[in-house]
């Protein structure tokens, strides 16, 4: 990793980082939410919870879904369980796994989707270079019946 970063700094003037295009819940918030779900008789969150998906990102192209707030309440986003078969329990786990990958590499993402029932799904996405500055937005709009994004991290 050090050799790769040094080579990139020499070649490009900065290090390049692989990117999925997702914003994840803080682990403490995920734990609180898991306890709340458990009290309601629902399964705990098992992986890293997707809060938002960057428009046009590898994650959006692969079909990952963000957490939304609707008139019915909060609709949980996808829960990432594994990347290339390596278990994910936290947002730090995903960061470490993606940091070990190169731009242009395709990874397999295993995730849970809670809709009418809980489904375990798998998708592939090709990592791109993390933009120098991302804008946080969502394809969902305030008049979208599915809801609007729960969180918009500051730029």
């Amino acid at each position: 990793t050090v050799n790769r970063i040094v080579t990139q700094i020499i070649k490009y003037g900065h290090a390049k980082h692989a990117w999925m295009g997702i914003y994840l819940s803080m682990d403490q918030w995920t734990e609180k939410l898991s306890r709340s779900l458990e009290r309601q008789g629902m399964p705990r969150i098992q992986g890293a919870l997707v809060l938002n998906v960057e428009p046009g990102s590898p994650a959006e192209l692969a079909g990952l879904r963000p957490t939304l707030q609707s008139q019915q309440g909060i609709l949980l986003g996808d829960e990432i369980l594994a990347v290339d078969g390596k278990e994910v329990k936290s947002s730090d786990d995903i960061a470490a796994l993606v940091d070990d990958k190169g731009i242009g590499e395709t990874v397999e993402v295993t995730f849970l989707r809670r809709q009418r029932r809980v489904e375990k799904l798998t998708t592939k996405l090709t990592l791109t270079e993390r933009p120098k500055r991302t804008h946080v937005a969502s394809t969902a709009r305030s008049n979208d019946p599915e809801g609007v994004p729960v969180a918009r991290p500051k730029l």
Side-chain angles (χ1 to χ4, degrees), residues 2-155:
V2 171
N3 288 337
R4 178 175 52 88
I5 290 172
V6 169
T7 302
Q8 289 175 1
I9 291 171
I10 291 168
K11 188 172 181 179
Y12 304 110
H14 66 278
K16 294 183 173 202
H17 301 280
W19 183 69
M20 291 175 68
I22 55 176
Y23 296 93
L24 300 170
S25 167
M26 293 186 316
D27 296 333
Q28 305 91 319
W29 190 79
T30 300
E31 181 56 33
K32 278 182 152 180
L33 184 56
S34 286
R35 287 193 303 267
S36 176
L37 289 170
E38 199 170 44
R39 283 191 301 272
Q40 296 173 44
M42 293 184 271
R44 293 176 63 84
I45 295 171
Q46 299 175 34
L49 178 63
V50 176
L51 283 184
N52 207 353
V53 177
E54 187 76 24
S57 69
E60 183 185 55
L61 297 174
L64 291 175
R65 293 189 183 166
T67 297
L68 300 171
Q69 185 170 358
S70 73
Q71 293 176 347
Q72 290 78 35
I74 293 177
L75 305 172
L76 293 179
D78 292 332
E79 299 168 36
I80 298 177
L81 303 175
V83 175
D84 278 347
K86 294 184 176 118
E87 186 179 39
V88 167
K89 290 287 187 186
S90 69
S91 55
D92 288 341
D93 291 345
I94 291 182
L97 290 167
V98 172
D99 279 347
D100 286 343
K101 300 291 181 184
I103 296 163
E105 281 190 58
T106 299
V107 296
E108 183 177 84
V109 179
T110 304
F111 60 97
L112 287 183
R113 178 166 290 157
R114 295 174 190 240
Q115 292 180 328
R116 290 180 179 86
R117 64 183 189 280
V118 178
E119 294 181 276
K120 187 174 184 179
L121 304 167
T122 302
T123 189
K124 291 188 178 204
L125 61 84
T126 302
L127 301 170
T128 59
E129 181 179 356
R130 182 172 59 204
K132 289 181 182 175
R133 182 173 174 95
T134 59
H135 63 285
V136 178
S138 173
T139 53
R141 301 289 178 239
S142 60
N143 60 353
D144 189 330
E146 292 290 315
V148 295
V150 168
R152 292 185 184 267
K154 293 181 181 176
L155 297 177

